[in-house]
Amino acid sequence: MKTQVGIIGAGPAGLMLSHLLHLEGIESVILECRTREEIESTIRAGVLEQGTVDLMNEAGVGDRMMREGHLHHGIELQYSGIRQRVNMHELTGGKSIMVYPQHEVIKDLVAARLEARGEIIFGVSDVGLHDVETNSPRITFLKDGAEMELACDFIAGCDGYHGPSRQMIPESVRNEKKQIYPFGWLGVLAKTPIANPELIYANHDRGFALISQRTPEIQRHYLQVDPTEDIANWSDDRIWSELTARVETDGWELPDGPIIQKNIVSMRSFVCEPMQYGRLFIAGDAAHIVPPTGAKGLNLAMADVQVLKRGITAFYQSGDMNWLNHYSEVALRRIWKAQRFSYWMTTMLHTNFNHTSFERSVQLSELDYVTSSRAALTSLSENYIGLPFEWEKERTLQI
């Protein structure tokens, strides 16, 4: 097999990159270890920045998102029993976020690729990358027990944190930066009405809580817990009791109902520098992980592939490798800003039970300042809604 761009991974990054390249007349093949049913049914969070919403619409895959997604103009912050709305729409000149789950984004992108006769090979295994430092990289894999090879001009590693792509960047070149947080999230899907028109981020002495939503009938909520906790110790009654304790306010009640899914995930930050080696370029979770507090994961993946698409397009249009050569530098500027924001949101909103009373008071003072300063609220809103996309490579290289 031969194509122009071999893409490993049919997550948001890989699918969107393939679709964007198709719109430019550039061929690609996607290799995915899971089945179509698995990638379309794995439920993940989905808060889309204004820029991601715009990209979906501009790429012609946003119709269902606009019909079924929930447009939000702000969020609510709660601490010390006080809840305050952050009017992000007003603070950012009319921008918004869209609550639309990641697996729905994947469904839309898979449908678009298959409608355009794009090739997605599901259920592959033993994926190997070869000759990435040359102009003729190859990907080998097994499909239904048969050994296969895909020759290409470039490889896009969109295969997540545990995929093989990042490991092809030599250790002597690869610099991995990590931050492990001392807390995790217990996430639940529950059959209840929507609890609140907008997301509630709550800082409480008992720990952080997030009240979110998925559909009019199914909601997604989170509790801060010890990442080593056993989910078996969390009965439905205990979960609802703890959620209620952390988000209750006078005159407002959290609706409860059957919990249909629950799990505990640890939280970490991670960045791989650089994000390229030879003709290999990594994007999305293969290159970086953010704690979910800032809602940046999917959005960073979409930003990565816009930069990568621009570089690949320039190469096929004029033979210019300049943008591709600087892919990491351009992408990492945005990534580190998102890491900074996600770290700030996480440390401001979560309760660190090892903190002294002084540190706890400073944390509450930070929340008091943020919610009482227009400048601070504007900064929070700009970062949460999504920073402007800066294409000026020259500026990137000057800093």
Side-chain angles (χ1 to χ4, degrees):
M1 301 174 61
K2 183 171 177 58
T3 191
Q4 290 174 298
V5 182
I7 300 174
I8 306 174
L15 289 165
M16 180 57 84
L17 177 61
S18 180
H19 182 65
L20 293 176
L21 293 175
H22 162 72
L23 296 177
E24 298 290 343
I26 299 169
E27 296 178 355
S28 66
V29 173
I30 302 176
L31 306 177
E32 170 56 51
C33 63
R34 297 167 295 171
T35 66
R36 179 180 180 180
E37 292 70 26
E38 286 175 316
I39 67 170
E40 292 186 346
S41 61
T42 302
I43 297 175
R44 299 279 296 275
V47 175
L48 308 185
E49 296 177 352
Q50 180 71 65
T52 301
V53 172
D54 294 342
L55 174 64
M56 293 280 287
N57 286 325
E58 291 165 4
V61 291
D63 289 351
R64 194 165 69 92
M65 171 191 69
M66 298 306 294
R67 290 195 309 270
E68 301 178 11
H70 299 271
L71 190 67
H72 287 192
H73 293 325
I75 61 172
E76 296 188 9
L77 293 178
Q78 181 173 329
Y79 66 100
S80 301
I82 303 167
R83 188 182 299 172
Q84 178 169 321
R85 181 171 185 263
V86 182
N87 189 341
M88 296 182 171
H89 189 260
E90 187 264 336
L91 289 164
T92 59
K95 296 180 180 180
S96 306
I97 57 171
M98 181 75 74
V99 177
Y100 189 63
Q102 179 171 308
H103 65 282
E104 302 296 347
V105 173
I106 287 176
K107 288 180 185 177
D108 296 338
L109 289 169
V110 168
R113 293 307 302 122
L114 296 181
E115 183 180 352
R117 298 185 179 181
E119 190 161 10
I120 308 174
I121 304 177
F122 293 102
V124 306
S125 61
D126 294 340
V127 176
L129 291 75
H130 310 273
D131 303 328
V132 299
E133 71 281 3
T134 74
N135 293 340
S136 303
R138 301 174 293 118
I139 308 172
T140 56
F141 59 97
L142 294 181
K143 173 61 179 174
D144 298 327
E147 295 183 2
M148 304 189 72
E149 180 176 294
L150 176 65
C152 46
D153 298 325
F154 301 99
I155 297 176
C158 307
D159 46 354
Y161 181 80
H162 297 288
S165 295
R166 187 178 69 256
Q167 304 307 318
M168 290 303 299
I169 302 176
E171 290 187 8
S172 60
V173 175
R174 192 171 76 236
N175 184 10
E176 299 186 354
K177 302 176 181 180
K178 304 177 183 180
Q179 171 72 31
I180 307 299
Y181 297 90
F183 28 73
W185 275 15
L186 189 163
V188 301
L189 278 177
K191 289 186 176 180
T192 74
I194 292 175
N196 199 61
E198 295 174 332
L199 277 62
I200 302 171
Y201 288 78
N203 175 302
H204 193 276
D205 288 342
R206 301 171 69 96
F208 168 78
L210 171 59
I211 303 302
S212 184
Q213 56 187 243
R214 285 296 172 267
T215 72
E217 298 82 24
I218 297 178
Q219 314 314 322
R220 185 71 158 162
H221 305 321
Y222 299 93
L223 281 169
Q224 175 188 342
V225 297
D226 188 304
T228 62
E229 279 265 18
D230 185 348
I231 193 65
N233 295 330
W234 286 86
S235 66
D236 291 7
D237 286 344
R238 183 185 178 191
I239 290 170
W240 285 120
S241 175
E242 195 63 32
L243 277 169
T244 299
R246 298 186 191 185
V247 299
E248 64 181 351
T249 57
D250 292 339
W252 184 89
E253 293 184 359
L254 176 66
D256 61 13
I259 292 177
I260 58 177
Q261 183 189 88
K262 53 186 172 182
N263 66 308
I264 294 175
V265 296
S266 59
M267 296 177 64
R268 67 188 188 278
S269 298
F270 168 82
V271 177
C272 175
E273 298 177 342
M275 297 166 57
Q276 62 193 100
Y277 180 71
R279 290 290 184 102
L280 167 66
F281 301 85
I282 60 175
D285 286 358
H288 44 75
I289 303 287
V290 289
T293 327
K296 293 300 168 203
L298 183 153
N299 296 292
L300 277 182
M302 293 299 197
D304 289 346
V305 298
Q306 288 183 77
V307 179
L308 186 52
K309 167 257 181 182
R310 183 175 179 130
I312 293 173
T313 301
F315 172 82
Y316 284 113
Q317 287 179 345
S318 64
D320 182 10
M321 282 287 293
N322 198 32
W323 267 99
L324 281 175
N325 289 338
H326 297 293
Y327 164 67
S328 290
E329 292 166 272
V330 175
L332 283 166
R333 282 195 67 216
R334 187 180 192 88
I335 289 163
W336 277 113
K337 288 176 183 175
Q339 290 284 4
R340 181 208 68 82
F341 176 69
S342 299
Y343 177 85
W344 175 73
M345 285 280 284
T346 300
T347 54
M348 178 177 67
L349 289 167
H350 287 73
T351 302
N352 189 332
F353 297 105
N354 293 322
H355 273 176
T356 64
S357 59
F358 177 88
E359 290 170 316
R360 174 63 174 154
S361 295
V362 168
Q363 184 185 50
L364 293 175
S365 180
E366 173 80 356
L367 281 160
D368 185 24
Y369 168 69
V370 168
T371 54
S372 60
S373 164
R374 183 176 179 85
L377 286 170
T378 300
S379 176
L380 186 158
S381 300
E382 287 178 346
N383 283 273
Y384 195 95
I385 291 285
L387 297 172
F389 220 104
E390 297 175 351
W391 287 114
E392 298 85 356
K393 175 171 59 63
E394 292 76 16
R395 181 183 174 200
T396 299
L397 299 181
Q398 288 170 6
I399 294 178

